[in-house]
Amino acid sequence: MVTGKTKNKRVLLLTYAFPPLQSSESFLSVKAFAKINSYDIDILTIDSSEIGYDMDYSLENYVNENFHNIYKAKTPKWIQKKVFRFLRYVPGFPDRFRFFNNVIYKKAMEIDIANYDLIISWSTWHSIHLVALKIKKNFNSIPWIVHLSDPWADNPFLTKIWGYKASQYFLEKKVLKLADAVNFTTNKSRILVMKKYPEFWINKTYVTSHSYDKSLYQKKIGLEPVRDKLIINYLGNFYGPRNPISLVKALRGIHAKDSNFLKGVVFRFVGKWIGNENWRSILYGLPDDLIEIISPISYTDSLVEMSNSDLLLILDAPFTTSVFFPSKLVDYIGAHKPIFAITPKGSCHDILQAIGGLHASPDSISSISSGVEEAINKLREGSLISPSFGASKKYSNDYVAKQFEILFHQTIHNL
């Protein structure tokens, strides 16, 4: 860990997503603050070893090198792995991590929260904002930034659940009302969330993108590339409407039309399909060597796998529009490899338009088929380009750290 006394102002990041808990938000929060030098960043999270989540220790050294104190609250003894797994079926207000809010708050009191110049609550998971809300009510002079990587009450993956939006709205409103600043990862997400609130609330909102750290791609282990084939990689989990069904249908149609077109190509899916772990049954009608399904690998190994790819693939849910900035997209940008996104109009599409890449509509099999054919043809020709270096540089965590430092300064001095 970073040691030594400094005269920097002190910032406390409260989050339930922090290594070694394996979650895209864990990796995003670490990268976002690792290059901040003008503030001392401490972390307050939970000891995630007993709640049943997969662990990923590949960033352990990185975390220790870039942060000051890391405080971990012990989870209540009654919440063991089986119990926490069951709690996912209990209606969320806002989610099952709320059962850890009391121990997080008590830990904040133990480490003397009053000595911090700024607190940040980072979600997913949104329960952490309720801890920060309680701190704000009791220590009103401490500036507070709310960071929403994903929308809260308006999350399109969850709004179809009966009662979700109404119940979450009241919690979200309490949080956003008292927060001194609210940070989003895309402007579309900001507009979606804030349009239902008083107009002047928009004045305390900011947009700061996800980031990559180029140094993390230098690790020389991971899955060995298959040198005699074109490697098209998807890294990450599938769940709900974000799944590979439409892509597989498109590949089946391409193969039926020309059985030779896909020779020498392999699609690698590294991760899980949550709720459908045995999904090989949907691959009928395709060559046996076209698709590889690979168990999840560590975060740093996934960066190496990206770097060993010929093309990186994004598969988004078929919403009419999407406000999301996929976490894998920023890591793909850092890998500096060509990107093909099957995504609706929205944030991901806009980013890809700016940095360079191919895209297709997720609700059209013909669009996906045409996109796949174009990508493979351009790969074979050697004409498929990687993201523009100039456009992608603003997603590096060196650049994003400076944006966060400006946000910290403005929030502290505007209170």
Side-chain angles (χ1 to χ4, degrees), residues 13 17-19 24-35 43 59 62-64 66-67 122 211 213 216 397:
L13 171 65
F18 197 80
S24 59
E25 288 298 328
S26 294
F27 313 133
L28 290 170
S29 62
V30 169
K31 291 180 295 178
F33 299 123
K35 295 295 179 69
I43 310 299
L59 288 181
Y62 183 82
V63 168
N64 290 334
N66 288 291
F67 293 92
W122 180 294
S211 61
D213 188 327
L216 293 173
N397 63 347

Side-chain angles (χ1 to χ4, degrees), residues 50-219:
E50 296 299 324
I51 64 173
Y53 267 78
D54 292 335
M55 298 289 107
D56 184 338
Y57 294 92
S58 63
L59 288 181
E60 186 171 13
N61 290 337
Y62 183 82
V63 168
N64 290 334
E65 290 168 1
N66 288 291
F67 293 92
H68 281 250
N69 301 302
I70 301 174
Y71 301 104
K72 294 185 178 182
K74 285 288 185 182
T75 57
K77 292 183 179 178
W78 65 273
I79 301 183
Q80 299 174 340
K81 294 178 182 179
K82 289 183 178 180
V83 174
F84 194 65
R85 193 176 299 116
F86 170 77
L87 290 176
R88 74 195 317 171
Y89 303 108
V90 177
F93 300 101
D95 50 66
R96 57 180 167 159
F97 280 80
R98 72 187 185 276
F99 293 101
F100 304 136
N101 281 7
N102 285 338
V103 296
I104 290 288
Y105 183 81
K106 288 179 181 178
K107 193 70 175 180
M109 298 304 102
E110 289 177 14
I111 64 176
D112 202 355
I113 189 70
N115 283 333
Y116 284 91
D117 299 288
L118 176 70
I119 61 171
I120 308 165
S121 53
W122 180 294
S123 68
T124 302
W125 290 268
H126 301 302
S127 285
I128 198 66
H129 301 308
L130 302 185
V131 181
L133 177 64
K134 187 175 181 180
I135 292 172
K136 183 64 177 179
K137 287 180 177 178
N138 292 322
F139 300 87
N140 186 55
S141 62
I142 303 177
W144 171 29
I145 298 173
V146 170
H147 176 85
L148 296 174
S149 276
D150 290 342
W152 184 345
D154 304 284
N155 190 321
F157 283 100
L158 300 172
T159 50
K160 291 183 179 180
I161 300 174
W162 185 87
Y164 174 84
K165 188 168 185 175
S167 63
Q168 301 298 318
Y169 165 73
F170 292 105
L171 295 173
E172 179 188 87
K173 185 177 181 180
K174 288 180 180 179
V175 166
L176 300 191
K177 182 179 181 179
L178 280 190
D180 299 294
V182 185
N183 196 52
F184 299 89
T185 60
T186 72
N187 190 52
K188 283 184 168 58
S189 183
R190 170 167 64 174
I191 293 170
L192 175 68
V193 171
M194 300 307 297
K195 66 183 180 182
K196 60 186 181 294
Y197 293 117
E199 287 186 11
F200 68 92
W201 285 20
I202 200 75
N203 295 330
K204 62 179 179 180
T205 63
Y206 301 81
V207 175
T208 311
S209 77
H210 296 323
S211 61
Y212 65 84
D213 188 327
K214 195 63 181 177
S215 70
L216 293 173
Y217 296 79
Q218 296 173 2
K219 194 177 177 185

Side-chain angles (χ1 to χ4, degrees), residues 223 231-238 243-245 247-248 251 266-273 279-280 282-283 286 290-297 305 313-315 332 342:
L223 299 174
I231 306 300
I232 300 176
N233 251 320
Y234 176 94
L235 294 105
N237 293 334
F238 294 122
N243 61 62
I245 293 175
L247 174 62
V248 170
L251 293 176
V266 59
F267 287 79
R268 303 177 81 164
F269 295 95
V270 184
K272 299 178 181 179
W273 186 349
W279 60 281
R280 293 182 183 275
I282 74 166
L283 303 183
L286 292 173
L290 178 63
I291 292 180
E292 295 181 13
I293 301 171
I294 299 168
S295 297
I297 56 179
E305 181 70 3
L313 181 64
I314 288 174
L315 291 172
Y332 286 2
I342 300 172

